[in-house]
Amino acid sequence: MDSDDNPPPPAGASRRPRSSRLRYPARVRPKRSRSTFPARREGNRYGVPRAIWSGSIAFGLVNAPIRLYSAIDEHDLDLHLVHVKDGSRIGHLNVCKAEGKPVPDDEIAKGYDSNGKIVLLEDEDFEAARGEGTKTIEILDFVPHEQIDPIYFERTYYVGPESGAEKVYRLLVEAMEQAELAAVVDFFFRDREQLACLRVRDGLLLLEKMYYADEIRPYEDVRPGRRGKLDRKELDMALSLIERFTGDFDPGRYADTYRERLLDVVRRKRRGAAIEAPAAAEEEAPTDLLTALRESVERAKRDGRRGGRKQAASLGELTVGELGDRARKLGVEGRSKMSKRELVSAIERAER
């Protein structure tokens, strides 16, 4: 049981205590803005979306036929395990650990270890456990969305209406939007029962697949103790640093620069170029926390940090990472091997 000094984390159906919220100075408190989707890119490279699940939302005695679409398109590089000698891909065999021999597909089944005894499960066993209503998203409760801690969210999906079901879909969207509530739902998806949350965004239903409460690990052994008083100067300096980085959330400002640099390495290696990792920059560690905070604030001032956006600065005032991003946008080749001075010169030539 937690003491009064260590309150438990916000539960899925309870509000976060007011005392635990981060208090910004009035002049830097972020303004609330209505969530919007990222702007559609010209030539929409995604094409026509393909439904990955179809069924209906049960809303009392009303059923809204819907389709589920993936909302996420991760851009991980497709790296493969290959044979160094000839570049051919590495394959894997299903090997029996007792016999040490490959096993054909028709001799492989799913099994559960029950106290040392393996219980084999067939398709009929899984069907029996599913029960009825496997194509229905059942609404269990309507709750304020802010009461659901983000730790419960796993993945987001778009929910669209089936052809001819637009009216009942719009009715549910409008009712939820006016009530300013989200729906906690239960449905069967990809061979398991799923907890999820339906919410409205820009006139569209989103389904947030969620973890169950017993899937969230306890945190007591991770959270530090709260004994001892914080230094007022250090806290004020930390708040000043936060103020320098405070602004409105714009997802378009953030990019996976590592992926771009890795692709550049791939292109250069394909042309036969030698690749060398840049030497890590060594910075002298501050002597104490207050000094570190003060130097961080001064650095943010030099970089022109205000309201979460960096003001225009000369090339010499930018970091190596920022110069690399700017060089990438200008198509400067070999930038990953350049020093800061070389990057500045290359960018200046490219911008002439």
Side-chain angles (χ1 to χ4, degrees):
M1 181 78 65
D2 289 326
S3 66
D4 292 338
D5 292 332
N6 295 312
S14 62
R15 291 183 182 275
R16 177 179 279 110
R18 183 178 298 274
S19 60
S20 69
R21 295 175 183 165
L22 176 63
R23 286 187 171 86
Y24 290 93
R27 65 185 182 281
V28 299
R29 189 181 300 277
K31 62 182 179 181
R32 289 180 174 270
S33 59
R34 186 168 178 263
S35 296
T36 56
F37 290 108
R40 179 184 292 272
R41 296 180 178 88
E42 264 187 62
N44 187 14
R45 67 180 179 85
Y46 300 110
V48 179
R50 182 176 63 86
I52 58 176
W53 188 90
S54 62
S56 63
I57 299 174
F59 179 39
L61 297 179
V62 178
N63 273 356
I66 58 92
R67 289 187 174 189
L68 214 58
Y69 304 88
S70 177
I72 308 299
D73 181 27
E74 294 177 303
H75 295 163
D76 295 334
L77 292 185
D78 292 328
L79 301 177
H80 309 283
L81 294 176
V82 297
H83 191 191
V84 175
K85 290 183 177 180
D86 55 20
S88 58
R89 293 193 186 182
I90 300 298
H92 296 276
L93 296 174
N94 295 313
V95 177
C96 175
K97 291 186 177 181
E99 298 177 354
K101 299 178 181 179
V103 179
D105 290 344
D106 59 357
E107 294 183 17
I108 298 176
K110 293 181 179 180
Y112 180 79
D113 189 340
S114 178
N115 296 323
K117 182 178 180 180
I118 300 297
V119 179
L120 296 180
L121 296 173
E122 301 177 353
D123 291 343
E124 293 77 8
D125 301 317
F126 291 104
E127 291 296 330
R130 284 190 182 191
E132 299 178 357
T134 57
K135 283 291 185 179
T136 302
I137 297 177
E138 189 76 30
I139 294 180
L140 306 177
D141 294 293
F142 286 100
V143 301
H145 185 264
E146 62 269 17
Q147 287 187 0
I148 307 175
D149 193 287
I151 195 172
Y152 290 98
F153 294 141
E154 180 186 350
R155 197 171 183 86
T156 305
Y157 297 88
Y158 295 142
V159 181
E162 281 277 18
S163 179
E166 290 82 3
K167 183 176 181 180
V168 66
Y169 178 93
R170 286 177 52 206
L171 176 66
L172 178 59
V173 167
E174 185 65 27
M176 289 178 61
E177 202 162 33
Q178 290 194 23
E180 298 183 346
L181 296 174
V184 178
V185 303
D186 181 271
F187 73 119
F188 205 88
F189 181 60
R190 291 181 175 168
D191 295 329
R192 66 165 292 187
E193 188 173 0
Q194 301 281 356
L195 183 69
C197 158
L198 280 175
R199 63 186 180 93
V200 179
R201 185 182 182 194
D202 284 356
L204 178 71
L205 283 176
L206 299 187
L207 184 140
E208 306 270 8
K209 195 148 68 76
M210 297 170 59
Y211 296 105
Y212 287 97
D214 60 1
E215 294 179 303
I216 305 299
R217 292 182 175 180
Y219 67 97
E220 285 79 8
D221 292 337
V222 180
R223 182 183 59 190
R226 297 187 178 182
R227 293 183 179 180
K229 192 175 182 180
L230 293 175
D231 183 271
R232 186 69 240 180
K233 290 183 179 179
E234 293 175 349
L235 184 57
D236 288 342
M237 197 67 68
L239 287 170
S240 179
L241 184 59
I242 289 175
E243 179 181 356
R244 285 279 167 183
F245 284 82
T246 299
D248 295 322
F249 177 62
D250 176 9
R253 291 179 54 220
Y254 312 103
D256 184 356
T257 57
Y258 171 74
R259 181 178 183 272
E260 293 296 328
R261 291 194 298 270
L262 186 55
L263 279 173
D264 183 57
V265 168
V266 171
R267 286 190 288 265
R268 289 165 54 207
K269 288 203 73 171
R270 186 175 181 179
R271 293 195 299 266
I275 305 298
E276 293 182 8
E282 294 184 6
E283 294 187 8
E284 186 177 346
T287 56
D288 56 63
L289 179 58
L290 185 59
T291 302
L293 288 167
R294 185 178 292 112
E295 289 181 3
S296 298
V297 172
E298 291 302 319
R299 180 179 296 181
K301 288 180 180 178
R302 290 195 303 270
D303 289 347
R305 280 281 186 179
R306 171 66 68 178
R309 286 180 172 81
K310 180 165 287 190
Q311 296 173 353
S314 66
L315 292 177
E317 294 175 335
L318 299 180
T319 66
V320 173
E322 291 163 343
L323 289 167
D325 291 341
R326 192 156 174 174
R328 173 178 57 81
K329 294 176 181 177
L330 291 169
V332 175
E333 294 186 356
R335 55 188 177 273
S336 61
K337 290 182 60 177
M338 294 182 182
S339 65
K340 182 174 180 178
R341 182 177 298 176
E342 291 170 336
L343 280 169
V344 169
S345 299
I347 291 171
E348 288 175 343
R349 287 195 300 270
E351 289 181 338
R352 287 173 187 166

